[in-house]
Amino acid sequence: MGVEIERKFLLRNDDWRKVAPKGIRMAQWYLNEHGNTIRVRIADDKAYLTIKSKSVGISRMEFEYEIPLADAKELMNLTQTPIVDKFRYKIPYQGHVWEVDEFLGLNAGLVVAEVEMKCEDEEVAIPDWIGVDVSDDRRYRNTYLAKCPYSTWTD
C-alpha cells in the first residue's frame, strides 16, 4: 500500500515552460466515486489502474498498477463521466519533481502543478512560477473536472 501526500497549486506564469521536458499526453476516466476513486489512465502507450481512498487532509492511500492497453480501452466503455485529457510535464526542482498538468478539451485553459511529499509537514522549495495553493479546493481535483469541466465554471 502506498500513501499519496501532495500539494496542488495554480501557476503564476508560463516560466515553467522554459524548464519543462516534453510532456506526456494523458487521458483518464473514472469508474466509481463513492468516497474512493477508481481511475483508468492511458499515458502515451501505457495504461494504469489506480485506486485512491478518500483524502484526509492532503494524504490518501493510493494503489497503482500497470494494465494491458487493450484492457484500458475496454474499461473506457464503463465510464459515465467525460474523459479528462491533458499533457503532463515532470520538472525536477530542488529535490522534488513537480508535475505540471496542462488540460485540454473542456478543461482547456487550466494549468496546475502538484508536488508529492514524504510527510505532510515536509518543507518543499517552491519555484518562482508557482502561485496559489489550491490543495484544499476540490474543484481542482481531476475527479471534479471530469464532472464539472473548467470551461463551465462561472467564478
Side-chain angles (χ1 to χ4, degrees):
M1 171 188 74
V3 175
E4 175 185 65
I5 303 170
E6 69 181 14
R7 291 174 60 197
K8 188 176 290 212
F9 299 84
L10 296 179
L11 301 182
R12 180 172 303 179
N13 54 46
D14 281 343
D15 288 354
W16 64 273
R17 293 184 187 280
K18 298 173 188 171
V19 294
K22 182 179 184 242
I24 297 170
R25 180 81 179 259
M26 294 183 171
Q28 61 192 46
W29 53 98
Y30 299 89
L31 302 175
N32 172 317
E33 280 201 63
H34 299 286
N36 301 313
T37 301
I38 300 173
R39 176 185 73 206
V40 180
R41 172 185 281 164
I42 295 175
D44 285 342
D45 61 349
K46 294 188 183 240
Y48 304 90
L49 175 67
T50 305
I51 303 164
K52 296 183 182 188
S53 70
K54 188 174 183 177
S55 295
V56 177
I58 60 171
S59 301
R60 59 185 165 181
M61 290 185 293
E62 177 182 52
F63 306 86
E64 184 168 81
Y65 308 97
E66 188 170 344
I67 62 173
L69 186 59
D71 289 0
K73 290 178 179 177
E74 285 294 320
L75 287 168
M76 187 184 300
N77 296 323
L78 300 178
T79 187
Q80 296 179 12
T81 59
I83 292 172
V84 175
D85 198 12
K86 62 188 178 182
F87 276 100
R88 172 163 287 170
Y89 305 88
K90 294 187 176 192
I91 304 171
Y93 184 79
Q94 295 189 17
H96 287 87
V97 175
W98 288 81
E99 295 179 343
V100 175
D101 287 345
E102 181 176 27
F103 291 88
L104 306 169
L106 294 173
N107 290 300
L110 179 61
V111 183
V112 299
E114 298 174 350
V115 62
E116 289 199 21
M117 304 172 317
K118 294 180 179 113
C119 60
E120 289 195 16
D121 59 355
E122 180 180 0
E123 292 292 325
V124 177
I126 308 289
D128 291 340
W129 37 267
I130 291 296
V132 177
D133 187 331
V134 293
S135 301
D136 294 327
D137 189 337
R138 68 182 187 95
R139 295 176 304 160
Y140 294 97
R141 294 182 182 164
N142 287 273
T143 51
Y144 185 88
L145 294 170
K147 293 185 287 187
C148 301
Y150 184 67
S151 62
T152 65
W153 296 8
T154 58
D155 58 338

